[in-house]
Amino acid sequence: MKTPRKIRHEFVEFIPKDREAGVLYVSIPYATAVHDCFCGCGTKVVTPISPVGWQLTFDGESVSLAPSVGNWSFACRSHYFIRKDRVDWAGDMSDEAIAKGRTRDKAAREGHFGAPVSPPVPPKPPEPEIAKPKPRGFWSWLTGRR
Ligand SMILES: [Zn+2]
């Protein structure tokens, strides 16, 4: 499960309730990206796109998200980068080092540094407004002006 995983992006206005696994849904109007955790656990991950949240890069073919997605609060505690429609597991770079560090320094690290560094916990985005006021017809537009 630690090999980079190919995903897909989809630009949408509203994030669908029934999401496909392996798809990063991007809503430009709501400046939000949502996906189901790419480790496969399916937990909904909301990444608000903002100067202090995540930055989305679209190169015309694929999307990237920065910084990495760290799902520390989930059971899976997965941590990965989304780069060019691909999931790079953050552990890949130094699996051994992490494993070593974990056994050796676990207690010390927890004591001294507390929680691992992770992006801000994404706040829940505002619910998209589904019902929009009906556009006025041509006639009422003509006659509706007092
Ligand atoms: Zn997960």
Side-chain angles (χ1 to χ4, degrees), residues 10-145:
E10 221 172 89
F11 289 109
V12 293
E13 185 175 5
F14 304 118
I15 306 298
K17 275 210 164 60
D18 295 316
R19 290 177 303 276
E20 240 181 89
V23 178
L24 177 70
Y25 294 92
V26 180
S27 171
I28 298 296
Y30 292 95
T32 299
V34 173
H35 66 276
D36 290 346
C37 181
F38 288 139
C39 88
C41 74
T43 311
K44 181 183 181 184
V45 182
V46 181
T47 46
I49 300 163
S50 81
V52 295
W54 279 267
Q55 284 87 57
L56 183 91
T57 309
F58 176 51
D59 67 5
E61 287 181 358
S62 59
V63 299
S64 307
L65 262 194
S68 61
V69 178
N71 298 324
W72 309 117
S73 53
F74 301 165
C76 67
R77 297 180 67 84
S78 56
H79 182 202
Y80 45 80
F81 297 87
I82 299 171
R83 293 180 188 131
K84 294 184 177 270
D85 279 7
R86 208 185 58 196
V87 175
D88 285 330
W89 305 100
D92 269 358
M93 295 190 305
S94 55
D95 259 350
E96 273 180 36
I98 287 174
K100 262 188 208 165
R102 222 173 247 156
T103 39
R104 199 184 49 213
D105 294 328
K106 190 167 184 275
R109 214 179 334 148
E110 278 172 358
H112 291 290
F113 299 105
V117 178
S118 66
V121 174
K124 212 174 175 240
E127 283 298 316
E129 203 182 310
I130 291 166
K132 283 189 177 161
K134 272 189 204 156
R136 298 160 80 190
F138 177 68
W139 186 249
S140 58
W141 177 78
L142 266 188
T143 56
R145 300 191 159 196

